[in-house]
Amino acid sequence: MMEALIHAGGRGSRMGQCGTEKPMLEIGGIPVIKRVVDAVASSSNVSRVIVSVSDNTMETEKFLVSEGVETIHTSGNDFVDDLHKAFEVMNNRYVMTAPCDVPLLNRQAVDMLYDFFDPDTMESAIAVVSEDMLRSIGSTPSYSIDINGRKWVLSGLCIMDRIRTLTLPNDVFIKETYMLTEMLELAVNVNTQNDLEFAKKMAKHQIC
């Protein structure tokens, strides 16, 4: 089993004016952050879930506390610094991390990455989704990487060697291994208003 960290301290500036913090946007009447927390926590391979929050997401923090979810307050200004601060209060060598904006995430996707990860040969495992699949469902990725001649999009779900991350020099990064998938559950990130509407449409057809 391993611990899990969910990032929910960013500004979410690409969403524009939406009346609430991005993690608190609702899809099917459920805040996005609750969807992600519930998906990760439902895995029998995850022993503890912590959500990093900041002054950017104070309403999110209040909601999580009311739900009994463990949080850690970070700056919300520097991803690496916030990651390190959260990792310092965790115990397991390997930690699964996820962004707060993958509302279709489910237990099956979490377990798939857990089963894929091999601590004897990997320092990290990152779930990526094919760009072709994303485009086939009407989504336009903002960034992709080339792997073996095909384009892939980072889902944000990954497993990291916590100890190595904390001890490496700032200009050295842990080695990345990619889990290639065609999973819709990992494909939808809510970064803009269009993403939100798309996620709402997809959630209506999601099978948990």
Side-chain angles (χ1 to χ4, degrees):
M1 296 180 70
M2 64 178 59
E3 296 170 302
L5 171 67
I6 299 171
H7 307 288
R11 298 180 186 277
S13 56
R14 283 184 287 174
M15 288 300 303
Q17 297 296 320
C18 53
T20 189
E21 298 163 2
K22 185 170 79 166
M24 292 301 294
L25 292 169
E26 292 189 356
I27 294 177
I30 302 171
V32 171
I33 186 60
K34 178 171 173 56
R35 285 176 168 270
V36 177
V37 168
D38 287 352
V40 175
S42 69
S43 171
S44 60
N45 295 308
V46 174
S47 59
R48 177 192 185 192
V49 178
I50 298 178
V51 182
S52 63
V53 294
S54 73
D55 287 348
N56 300 318
T57 53
M58 295 183 69
E59 290 303 314
T60 300
E61 182 176 15
K62 290 178 183 177
F63 171 76
L64 292 169
V65 170
S66 72
E67 291 279 308
V69 178
E70 186 177 358
T71 63
I72 179 169
H73 202 90
T74 60
S75 72
N77 298 320
D78 185 287
F79 177 82
V80 174
D81 286 348
D82 292 349
L83 177 70
H84 281 219
K85 183 174 181 179
F87 273 7
E88 286 169 357
V89 303
M90 303 180 84
N91 301 309
N92 291 175
R93 172 146 197 164
Y94 300 101
V95 174
M96 181 173 291
T97 69
C100 68
D101 57 2
V102 282
L104 303 187
L105 185 68
N106 61 11
R107 183 184 69 252
Q108 288 81 3
V110 171
D111 289 343
M112 179 181 289
L113 183 62
Y114 180 90
D115 291 338
F116 172 83
F117 180 68
D118 180 1
D120 293 329
T121 62
M122 303 176 189
E123 294 182 355
S124 72
I126 304 173
V128 296
V129 183
S130 75
E131 182 179 294
D132 290 340
M133 191 275 284
L134 277 172
R135 293 189 182 279
S136 74
I137 60 174
S139 178
T140 303
S142 57
Y143 174 77
S144 61
I145 58 176
D146 185 281
I147 304 174
N148 299 327
R150 288 187 65 190
K151 296 293 185 181
W152 300 85
V153 180
L154 301 177
S155 70
L157 185 69
C158 68
I159 294 173
M160 302 175 67
D161 184 327
R162 182 182 70 89
I163 302 300
R164 189 154 172 75
T165 300
L166 289 173
T167 55
L168 281 174
N170 290 337
D171 59 344
V172 179
F173 302 95
I174 61 176
K175 296 177 182 177
E176 299 174 343
T177 302
Y178 297 106
M179 182 182 79
L180 312 182
T181 80
E182 303 280 347
M183 295 185 71
L184 176 65
E185 293 83 359
L186 293 170
V188 180
N189 292 79
V190 177
N191 291 311
T192 67
Q193 292 290 345
N194 287 339
D195 292 339
L196 178 62
E197 294 307 312
F198 183 77
K200 288 178 178 178
K201 180 174 68 174
M202 292 294 102
K204 292 179 181 179
H205 306 289
Q206 184 180 29
I207 299 175
C208 299

